[in-house]
Amino acid sequence: MASKIFLGDMPELMENILNNLNEEFYSLHSCALVNRHWCKMTIPILWRDPFSFEQKPMFISRYFIALNEDDQFILKDCGISVDFPNTLFHYAKFLKVLNLSRLEKKVKHWIGLHLFNPQKHINTLTYHIANLLFKLFIESGTTLSKLDLYIPYDVIEIKPEIFYSLGRNEHFFSRLQDLSVGAISDFCIEDATTLLGILAKNTRKINTLTFNAFESDYEPKLYHTFICIVKSQEQLKRFNLLGGEGLPAEFYGIISALEYQKNSLQEIKIDYCAYSKEFETLANCEKLKVIRILYCHEDNKLLKILNTNHYKISTLEITSYSLDALNIIQILEKSGLLLQRLKLNSEEEEISSQSNLLETLTTFCPNIVYLYISHIELSQQLLKLVENLQKLQYLTLLWINDGTEEVTKGRVMQFAEKLPLTLQYLNLGDIWSNSHINILLNYCNVPLKQLLFSIDCDNDFDYKKTIETLIEFCKRKRTLKDVYVSKMKGAPHMYNYKRNLSDAILNKVQKDLEGYVKLVSYECIVVNC
């Protein structure tokens, strides 16, 4: 006789389930109300990163019960009553993620809700209360896992006593795994540099580092301190360099410092940067498995450096205004069977050397699970590649229609028939016409679960035909769970993946599809590389 399994008797299993709900505020809150046992497991997860939740920051009051007398006096001086009810938990010790900018914004919102001491300027109140909370977290005994050091002009200063407290509580940063630094105003450079110095001294376990180089005129001392952090980590695996519209080309030794991590670095992301000779350091990072290059000036030079090494890439993501596939052929050939996720997004011009690209992918890379490709012809070569990818699960195809309507319809039909049975997610963007979508759905035998497409809402006949075809597909396959419907493009080759429908049309689509498939938002359905 089979025995019954109760989640209450399997705390490890239950904890794993709850951990997978770490961003589902309402679900976690409901779990905490089930019983005392579930509450004890759920509360620490709910309070790991409370400042990221969209709800009103009423939770801040619960921290104050743990303040000492001196800190409570500061609250009184701000006009805040310190007669807070006792709590079952010491919530501050559960904190694992701290974003200084979010902390400041939530505190300011909390003050606005309570209208404490209107005689005091709200920025002064925010300054005192945010620093009190920062100090409480440091002295609570918790250890952070993620820190976002984002200090723009409107973020409060850090009091000197915070640095003193950090010196007495070195454990606070000792297990930090994810650090982001950037958008630091001139007003806060000194604070940020001091904080980075403490991090350089006390952290060795960081595996993900992000540096925002948008402000390229930081003081040399800040760059030097950040470089010390890069060099001192034992196993740095991911590094993100984020630039801006100015496309910075000077990085003051930060990229060169990755030489110290050449035996551990596995993932690199370079976003909105210009080419720098420092990037040559990446040729020595032989463990790289994930490469993301987005909107970089002279990205061909960067790709040439990456071509010189024997990388075995599993994920390659390139977004450019114009993309020449010849620059990545060697990377694709070397990666071969290991390549699983590929995104080639050419935003303004047709991808160059398409024939070489498609032949290489068909010959060397049959194990791709995720494919995103834009500004490419719906050619026989492309159809052959799709048919060859027998492990493909996620496909985004934004193609160029430069043939006759008769030829195009024939190729859309072939495309639908050649889609591998493993495919679960299909994103057609906003460039497919209604007639082509109808053909696709009529000839598609793939058990899709998620579909993203556009619809022409201005033509009532075309709209009804597409909705009817989609409903017939749902009835026939019985696998489609979620769809996102956008408004069809207004100009050739202008991709806009979030061209949202008006509320009125959205309600109409939702009503027409009710009972067949769930209409969801773009954020809930999109799958990124």
Side-chain angles (χ1 to χ4, degrees), residues 11-21:
E12 291 184 6
L13 176 59
M14 188 60 206
E15 190 171 351
N16 288 336
I17 293 173
L18 292 173
N19 278 323
N20 285 325
L21 296 174

Side-chain angles (χ1 to χ4, degrees), residues 183-200:
I184 299 170
S185 67
D186 295 339
F187 185 64
C188 299
I189 282 288
E190 192 65 35
D191 287 348
T193 304
T194 303
L195 197 53
L196 287 175
I198 294 172
L199 287 164

